[in-house]
Amino acid sequence: MAPAEEPRGDELEQKERELALLKQRMALLEQEVADARRRQQHAAASTTAQDGPPPPRSFACSHSLSKEHVQRYSRHLLLPSFGLSAQERLCQGSVLIVGCGGLGSPAALYLAASGVGTLGLVDHDVVDLSNLHRQIIHTEARVGVHKATSAAQACAALNSLVKVNTHMDGFNPANALEIVRGYDVVLDATDNPTTRYLINDACVVLGKPLVSAAAVGTDGQLTVYNYGEDAPCYRCLFPESPAPENCSRCADAGVLGPVPGAMGVLQAVEVVKLLGGVGDVLAKKLLIFDALAGRFTTVRLRGKRTECVACGLCPSITRENLAAYDYVAFTGQAPTDAAPSLSVLPPSLRVTPQQLQGVMSSAAVSGRAPPAVLDVRPANQFSLMHLPNATHIPFEQLDAKVEEVKDLIRGSKCVECSGGGSAEIGEQRPEAGLYVMCRRGNNSQLAVARLRELGVLNAVDVVGGMENWAKSLDPSMPVI
Amino acid sequence: MKVKLEFSGGMDLLFGNKKMHEVELAETNGKRWTVGRVIMWARENLLTERPELFMKGDSVRPGILVLVNDCDWELSGTLDCELQDGDTVTFISTLHGG
């Protein structure tokens, strides 16, 4: 049998889009069917009960929990420090989870399981394969499905007593107040400072406690903002936004899967305490988790800052003007954890992966030495895969190893010169002395710029890095 | 005078990948060791890379929390907080990921 014809690139993209849409539709249908089935069962149960007169009650109770509630939450009800009244308050309470990722996944599952009355789920993104190592609410089958839909499905499957709302457009200044208004507590499970400032301000102007956590690498942090008389808000602690280079992202720095898991579970604990009205809420304190050391530390934070622009004595951020506040200008960062795309070099210092591949193959055909390729990614990324003959010097070590770079260029030049005339080299442009490669094409530009300052003038950057190489030349490449 | 300097939340990457530094600060003719002085001292003596990610002006960069003996330095005078023998100063980079 003849093998099926390989789809072309654009056809493949179209098919992938179709597949994602179908998956989303399937997830919605599954949820509708599950909901309908549940309603049927409930209706059947109540009809059976209505057949004939109800048997006389042989017990007395004065609370709002049904038999199903009592059975399901029995271990909470047995707990002396929690018990009936706290569970009733929890069942009547509502919580908004902003971000259905590494923190939001376990938080949503535990809060649904614990019996919170209403759970709101906010996201704007779809499930990606690289999410699944930590965003445990999603599944392989739901890759490509909207995260809020996927998370809602998991919560509904876990506890049908909980009302689950999805907010599919993400969280932005225009919709923030309208969304937050409907909930008692907000849980910040986002991944960027821009959205964190927005969530903080929305909670301050509407008077909602904010359970905030973050995790990157092997570290986690947790605190509750805007709770009680004197507890600070996010802006009290960080009145000035950190610079983008001071904010490490999971997508760059990596994250150990269970670390956001642990922090998300602890956020759920704080929400259960807040709504249930038990224990000491973690306000004015910061809990720090160091996974490698196996250590939790709790430190004391300052109180409210009287001059705070959100919660101080004369706040400049109000319900009326929050929607118009420019959060992206304030933090200088887009409201995502995606890496910024830099463009710092003139086009003459940039080549495409195709151009570099052309130079490599023409060198191979004519028996010349391959062009000098410098890979500036961290060692762990280089060891995953790299171009053949690439020399590895991490970006941070460029200054210290600039002589090595010069040797590299000299080495490839010498062989080139002895190999024959340069007339045929580079059909489109004169061949560069050094091709600098990184993961996405940002650091390679910075490296070329730095090398120029260090006196290396014939280096060029490969546009879009390994990611672009994989996309445009070799989809089998295991890029991260 | 001995103090402990601790770097957390990824700050350790700027300080030789070491989280805890126990350091001996020399007495300098009656001039007291404040947190502000210790920040400058750490930059000169402990920082191994990218000083621009640690300091801005004479203080730490926005987004870095400073604790003295596990309490926010805002509670003890920030840069002017005077240190005693045995104190711990912690620098925490606030995290945003999730």
Side-chain angles (χ1 to χ4, degrees):
Chain A
M1 204 175 97
E5 207 179 313
E6 285 293 320
R8 292 206 329 272
D10 49 349
E11 278 177 26
L12 186 64
E13 259 177 47
Q14 163 117 33
K15 282 190 181 358
E16 279 171 347
R17 270 199 302 275
E18 243 174 75
L19 184 66
L21 279 172
L22 283 173
K23 276 185 179 174
Q24 194 138 356
R25 179 78 194 119
M26 200 169 90
L28 279 171
L29 268 178
E30 276 175 6
Q31 196 176 341
E32 278 172 28
V33 168
D35 287 350
R37 189 165 293 148
R38 214 164 34 235
R39 278 195 298 273
Q40 245 175 17
Q41 280 165 359
H42 280 260
S46 53
T47 333
T48 330
Q50 277 160 20
D51 283 348
R57 243 186 183 193
S58 59
F59 61 92
C61 69
S62 54
H63 59 75
S64 60
L65 301 185
S66 69
K67 180 175 174 176
E68 194 182 350
H69 282 90
V70 170
Q71 282 177 325
R72 182 182 278 266
Y73 308 125
S74 58
R75 301 309 188 263
H76 274 179
L77 301 174
L78 288 168
L79 195 61
S81 56
F82 201 72
L84 175 63
S85 51
Q87 184 67 47
E88 277 186 296
R89 285 190 289 271
L90 182 59
C91 287
Q92 284 151 16
S94 57
V95 57
L96 180 72
I97 299 182
V98 188
C100 302
L103 299 163
S105 285
L109 288 172
Y110 267 106
L111 288 169
S114 301
V116 65
T118 305
L119 195 56
L121 301 169
V122 185
D123 215 298
H124 65 277
D125 208 358
V126 297
V127 181
D128 182 81
L129 189 61
S130 70
N131 299 149
L132 296 184
H133 95 295
R134 66 189 187 284
Q135 303 182 14
I136 55 163
I137 203 164
H138 310 301
T139 65
E140 279 182 18
R142 296 201 291 264
V143 168
V145 172
H146 196 288
K147 284 188 182 178
T149 309
S150 169
Q153 219 186 339
C155 292
L158 183 57
N159 189 349
S160 60
L161 299 173
V162 174
K163 178 166 187 270
V164 183
N165 302 329
T166 52
H167 303 277
M168 312 280 281
D169 299 329
F171 200 78
N172 55 58
N175 68 13
L177 294 186
E178 195 189 317
I179 295 178
V180 168
R181 194 169 277 129
Y183 297 89
D184 299 326
V185 183
V186 178
L187 193 149
D188 186 342
T190 57
D191 56 14
N192 66 84
T194 307
T195 314
R196 286 179 182 272
Y197 278 103
L198 168 62
I199 295 173
N200 175 73
D201 296 349
C203 287
V204 169
V205 300
L206 293 173
K208 312 279 182 182
L210 171 59
V211 179
S212 181
V216 174
T218 55
D219 292 302
Q221 295 167 356
L222 168 74
T223 187
V224 179
Y225 293 117
N226 198 38
Y227 177 79
E229 277 302 295
D230 185 39
C233 80
Y234 188 56
R235 279 190 194 265
C236 295
L237 293 192
F238 307 108
E240 201 180 332
S241 173
E245 59 270 24
N246 274 78
C247 302
S248 50
R249 292 173 287 268
C250 293
D252 290 335
V255 60
L256 195 69
V259 174
M263 303 319 293
V265 171
L266 290 169
Q267 283 182 288
V269 172
E270 289 307 306
V271 171
V272 167
K273 281 160 58 183
L274 263 163
L275 289 177
V278 302
D280 296 325
V281 172
L282 203 82
K284 280 182 84 174
K285 284 179 266 181
L286 176 73
L287 184 147
I288 302 165
F289 176 40
D290 177 342
L292 288 187
R295 191 176 51 174
F296 284 96
T297 317
T298 305
V299 301
R300 260 180 65 207
L301 295 177
R302 57 164 302 140
K304 269 190 205 303
R305 190 184 287 271
T306 48
E307 69 274 24
C308 177
V309 294
C311 74
L313 296 175
C314 304
S316 61
I317 296 168
T318 63
R319 284 185 202 204
E320 289 69 36
N321 67 16
L322 181 139
Y325 189 98
D326 191 341
Y327 286 87
V328 174
F330 174 68
T331 62
Q333 299 177 59
T336 69
D337 80 332
S341 198
L342 291 183
S343 184
V344 298
L345 295 180
S348 61
L349 293 177
R350 312 193 70 185
V351 300
T352 63
Q354 288 87 340
Q355 285 171 319
L356 172 54
Q357 196 189 40
V359 174
M360 286 163 88
S361 39
S362 75
V365 167
S366 61
R368 279 179 291 120
V373 176
L374 175 68
D375 193 321
V376 296
R377 293 175 299 159
N380 51 7
Q381 291 184 34
F382 184 79
S383 62
L384 273 179
M385 56 82 200
H386 50 82
L387 294 183
N389 301 313
T391 300
H392 180 226
I393 298 176
F395 180 71
E396 291 72 21
Q397 294 173 23
L398 267 190
D399 280 39
K401 296 192 171 171
V402 69
E403 288 310 316
E404 251 177 73
V405 176
K406 289 177 180 168
D407 286 346
L408 180 66
I409 297 171
R410 272 195 291 274
S412 77
K413 273 262 173 72
C414 286
V415 186
E416 203 173 278
C417 298
S418 63
S422 58
E424 81 275 20
I425 301 172
E427 285 105 37
Q428 282 124 8
R429 60 173 67 232
E431 194 166 331
L434 181 72
Y435 296 84
V436 184
M437 182 60 109
C438 69
R439 183 181 174 198
R440 299 197 189 96
N442 287 340
N443 266 357
S444 56
Q445 293 183 64
L446 298 176
V448 167
R450 182 64 191 145
L451 285 171
R452 292 180 77 77
E453 288 167 8
L454 297 169
V456 178
L457 300 177
N458 56 350
V460 296
D461 121 89
V462 182
V463 173
M466 298 305 293
E467 200 174 88
N468 192 19
W469 185 287
K471 202 170 133 199
S472 49
L473 294 172
D474 184 2
S476 74
M477 188 179 256
V479 282
I480 52 170
Chain B
M1 175 170 89
K2 276 187 181 157
V3 296
K4 288 180 188 164
L5 302 182
E6 199 183 359
F7 300 93
S8 139
M11 290 286 298
D12 48 306
L13 298 178
L14 306 182
F15 291 86
N17 286 320
K18 210 173 138 193
K19 282 182 180 165
M20 183 67 92
H21 296 249
E22 293 190 30
V23 301
E24 178 84 47
L25 301 173
E27 301 290 339
T28 44
N29 48 25
K31 206 174 154 198
R32 301 223 175 235
W33 278 99
T34 60
V35 176
R37 265 186 87 196
V38 166
I39 289 173
M40 299 301 281
W41 185 90
R43 187 177 72 170
E44 297 309 317
N45 296 283
L46 297 177
L47 192 83
T48 52
E49 54 186 281
R50 308 189 72 183
E52 74 278 9
L53 292 187
F54 179 52
M55 289 193 67
K56 182 180 178 187
D58 60 356
S59 189
V60 292
R61 287 291 295 259
I64 298 174
L65 277 181
V66 184
L67 310 170
V68 179
N69 299 329
D70 283 349
C71 289
D72 197 330
W73 71 338
E74 300 269 354
L75 301 169
S76 53
T78 64
L79 288 171
D80 298 327
C81 170
E82 279 184 19
L83 293 172
Q84 311 288 323
D85 189 50
D87 279 352
T88 301
V89 184
T90 311
F91 299 90
I92 306 173
S93 180
T94 176
L95 305 175
H96 305 94

